[in-house]
Amino acid sequence: MIKKSFLSVAVGAAMIIAPLTAGQAAAAPQTTGDVHAAATTVCYDASGAPSFASEIAQGAANWNGSVGNVQLVNDPSCATLDYYEGNDPSGSYAYTDGHGNGYIFIDYTQAQQYYTVRITAHETGHVLGLPDHYQGPCSELMSGGGPGPSCTNAYPNADEAGRVNSLWANGFRAARGELEKIY
């Protein structure tokens, strides 16, 4: 009975501590060479979406060029963000806590209809903490598919970049809890 109780306590403690320390490996400060002294690094792994590897890299580069407080790096060894591909009748989505953790699913059908770099950059915006704003114009990345398939803007606008910089101003933010599916 004592062994079983100890094991339960140990497993429970590990479940609480592991998520708290897992993000710390990905939160190493990185010098960016601009006015920002350091940025939080969010590592990602694109190996689960090989058909979209270049689009994922371009979407990450678009964010990296627009914000200074957080940078996305393709490094599976410290990944807190994974990309996957496949078919989902609901389309592409991010499953995230908005704090650099989770995964992004890229739907094949949607990727044939919309500009794929916009899809990857939009879903990455959710992982960085931004909500959808489907009513927005094409110039807003987080308007997603709202402006229609002719929209090819894959860059956050100044307001979106400013919100991400603000959210990540003090480094890696503690997770707000459960992961959430965001389309």
Side-chain angles (χ1 to χ4, degrees):
M1 182 69 169
I2 292 174
K3 282 185 180 181
K4 186 175 181 183
S5 295
F6 176 75
L7 182 60
S8 296
V9 169
V11 169
M15 290 176 67
I16 291 169
I17 293 171
L20 296 175
T21 59
Q24 298 305 313
Q30 172 182 320
T31 303
T32 62
D34 64 6
V35 296
H36 302 281
T40 299
T41 300
V42 173
C43 298
Y44 70 88
D45 180 359
S47 66
S51 303
F52 304 108
S54 64
E55 291 88 346
I56 293 166
Q58 184 59 56
N62 292 357
W63 275 108
N64 288 345
S66 300
V67 298
N69 288 340
V70 60
Q71 294 289 286
L72 300 155
V73 176
N74 187 4
D75 185 349
S77 72
C78 61
T80 59
L81 169 60
D82 296 298
Y83 288 84
Y84 299 104
E85 63 183 62
N87 293 304
D88 188 311
S90 299
S92 301
Y93 61 88
Y95 188 70
T96 182
D97 63 0
H99 300 257
N101 302 304
Y103 69 87
I104 291 172
F105 181 85
I106 303 166
D107 176 62
Y108 292 133
T109 302
Q110 190 176 48
Q112 291 175 347
Q113 298 169 346
Y114 292 86
Y115 183 49
T116 311
V117 177
R118 180 172 171 86
I119 294 171
T120 64
H122 169 87
E123 299 303 342
T124 301
H126 292 310
V127 175
L128 297 176
L130 297 180
D132 283 315
H133 186 241
Y134 291 127
Q135 307 86 335
C138 179
S139 60
E140 286 184 22
L141 178 60
M142 298 314 290
S143 65
S150 64
C151 177
T152 59
N153 171 47
Y155 290 87
N157 65 21
D159 181 56
E160 293 166 324
R163 283 187 282 153
V164 167
N165 272 328
S166 178
L167 290 169
W168 292 85
N170 297 312
F172 193 75
R173 299 180 315 136
R176 64 179 175 205
E178 303 267 332
L179 297 179
E180 176 183 359
K181 195 175 197 179
I182 308 169
Y183 289 93

